[in-house]
Amino acid sequence: NAYFTQATGYSREEALGQNPRLLKSGQTPPDHYRQLWQTLTDGGIWTGEFHNQRKNGSLYWEHAIIGPVRDLNGRIAHFLAIKEDITARRQAEQRLRLAASVFKHAHEGIVVTDTDGLIVEVNDAFSALTGYSREEALGQNPRFLQSGCHDPEFFAALWRTLLAEGLWTGELWNRKKNGELYAEATSISAVHDEAGRVTHYV
């Protein structure tokens, strides 16, 4: 159909009479195809993903549902494949995995709050820095770390800058769980959604 042409770059005329291996990129493991054909020859419906190649040589991911179509005598006459290009989704998942890895393995303490200022996530470095576990920090306002060394005007100026510019950088004196004071270089950034609304602070 037209979606196939759009996704693969092959016209209807170029595709008709071809074997679907026309799209093979060499990136999908051979065992994947063996399982597919075993399912189909057993009369079942196969669902899975392929890493295929378009006519122009670019690679793309597709999700496929493939099943046999039987004639009036019950014999398999055709195979029907319903396919969807999921390249953008796979790339987004990869970016999420990378971001999660950076978050977990960063040497700097990272705190994520919602717009009410309540902590929704921290990384391991935060716990090592402050002495507070993730469970102890979740749901708290970061002010639970305050040392008392800064006056209210300091935090008012911080928030004015953050709300106006979406970023504040500076130094804070905070207090660890064991009561020890420590100085930290801090940057606080606003995170926006597609509509430009602030959803979190990092």
Side-chain angles (χ1 to χ4, degrees):
N1 66 352
Y3 184 87
F4 172 89
T5 296
Q6 176 189 337
T8 68
Y10 289 99
S11 68
R12 178 177 183 273
E13 293 70 27
E14 289 172 318
L16 292 182
Q18 296 280 356
N19 188 291
R21 72 173 62 96
L22 172 75
L23 302 173
K24 286 179 71 171
S25 65
Q27 302 296 313
T28 303
D31 196 49
H32 209 64
Y33 296 104
R34 284 193 288 270
Q35 293 173 0
L36 182 161
W37 282 109
Q38 185 63 55
T39 300
L40 294 180
T41 53
D42 289 344
I45 296 174
W46 183 88
T47 301
E49 296 179 359
F50 297 110
H51 201 185
N52 279 346
Q53 184 170 303
R54 299 184 181 92
K55 181 182 178 180
N56 65 9
S58 64
L59 300 182
Y60 71 103
W61 285 95
E62 69 175 17
H63 180 265
I65 302 171
I66 306 174
V69 179
R70 299 179 183 277
D71 62 20
L72 294 176
N73 297 314
R75 293 188 296 265
I76 295 176
H78 298 88
F79 294 103
L80 175 66
I82 300 172
K83 301 180 168 200
E84 178 187 8
D85 185 337
I86 58 167
T87 307
R89 189 180 81 195
R90 289 292 296 250
Q91 290 172 340
E93 290 170 352
Q94 187 175 16
R95 288 193 296 270
L96 283 173
R97 284 193 295 272
L98 177 60
S101 178
V102 171
F103 183 81
K104 180 173 179 59
H105 299 294
H107 294 291
E108 296 81 14
I110 301 174
V111 181
V112 182
T113 76
D114 61 17
T115 53
D116 293 324
L118 301 181
I119 295 173
V120 296
E121 194 58 88
V122 299
N123 68 347
D124 293 343
F126 168 88
S127 296
L129 177 69
T130 66
Y132 288 97
S133 69
R134 176 178 180 271
E135 290 70 26
E136 290 173 314
L138 293 184
Q140 298 263 28
N141 187 295
R143 72 172 64 97
F144 83 105
L145 299 170
Q146 285 184 12
S147 63
C149 296
H150 305 286
D151 59 29
E153 178 51 34
F154 175 89
F155 291 105
L158 183 161
W159 275 102
R160 281 196 299 271
T161 300
L162 185 57
L163 292 173
E165 302 177 15
L167 174 68
W168 179 88
T169 59
E171 294 184 357
L172 292 171
W173 279 96
N174 275 341
R175 190 180 300 276
K176 299 182 181 183
K177 184 179 179 180
N178 65 7
E180 177 187 346
L181 291 177
Y182 68 101
E184 63 179 26
T186 304
S187 66
I188 306 173
S189 301
V191 178
H192 299 84
D193 63 14
E194 294 84 354
R197 294 183 295 260
V198 175
T199 61
H200 297 86
Y201 293 101
V202 179

